[in-house]
Amino acid sequence: QVQLVESGGDLVQPGGSLRLSCAASGSIFSIGAMGWYRQAPGKQREVVATMKGGSTNYADSVKGRFIIVRDNAKNTVYLQMNSLKSEDTAVYYCNAEVTTAARSILNAWGQGTLVTVSS
C-alpha cells in the first residue's frame, strides 16, 4: 500500500508565498513522475506542475511564480508558490507514479491540501 500525504496549505494574502510538501510512503520500489494538481470550486482538476527525471513542466498560469522541487531520497515533492493570486485558491493534490515492491504500477493521489488566497 502506498500513501501520499500533503501539508502546507493555508490562508495567505495576495502576493504572499507558501510551500506545499508531499511525502510518499509505503511499499515503494521506485517513483516515476511526481506532480501537483489543483481543483478550484466549481472547476475541473488541472495540472499545476510535474517533474520526471530532470524535466519539469508548469501550467502557463503559474510559470515564473511556482517551483516544483523533488527530494528523491525522501520520496518527497515540494511546490514553492510565490506571488500568489486569488485565482490560485484551490485544493492542491499531489500525484505520483509509483512502482510498488510487488512491481505493480499505481497512479497515487494525496488527500489534498487547501490553499486560500485572500485579503
Side-chain angles (χ1 to χ4, degrees):
Q1 191 171 356
V2 174
Q3 289 184 323
L4 300 183
V5 179
E6 301 117 329
S7 61
D10 206 344
L11 170 65
V12 62
Q13 292 186 342
S17 297
L18 276 179
R19 189 178 81 155
L20 305 182
S21 300
C22 170
S25 62
S27 181
I28 298 171
F29 174 73
S30 66
I31 301 178
M34 295 188 83
W36 291 93
Y37 293 71
R38 67 185 180 187
Q39 187 166 17
K43 295 188 177 181
Q44 290 187 331
R45 190 174 297 189
E46 62 178 3
V47 61
V48 176
T50 60
M51 174 178 275
K52 184 171 185 178
S55 177
T56 58
N57 288 283
Y58 295 93
D60 287 343
S61 60
V62 306
K63 282 181 181 176
R65 299 189 298 122
F66 290 11
I67 302 172
I68 185 170
V69 177
R70 182 169 168 176
D71 186 336
N72 291 323
K74 296 181 179 180
N75 287 336
T76 298
V77 64
Y78 305 92
L79 186 67
Q80 177 66 43
M81 305 187 295
N82 302 318
S83 302
L84 283 161
K85 305 175 181 180
S86 58
E87 51 262 45
D88 295 318
T89 294
V91 177
Y92 283 71
Y93 296 91
C94 176
N95 174 263
E97 180 187 83
V98 178
T99 300
T100 68
R103 302 304 188 268
S104 299
I105 297 177
L106 302 178
N107 184 32
W109 290 92
Q111 81 287 352
T113 186
L114 177 62
V115 173
T116 303
V117 184
S118 175
S119 55

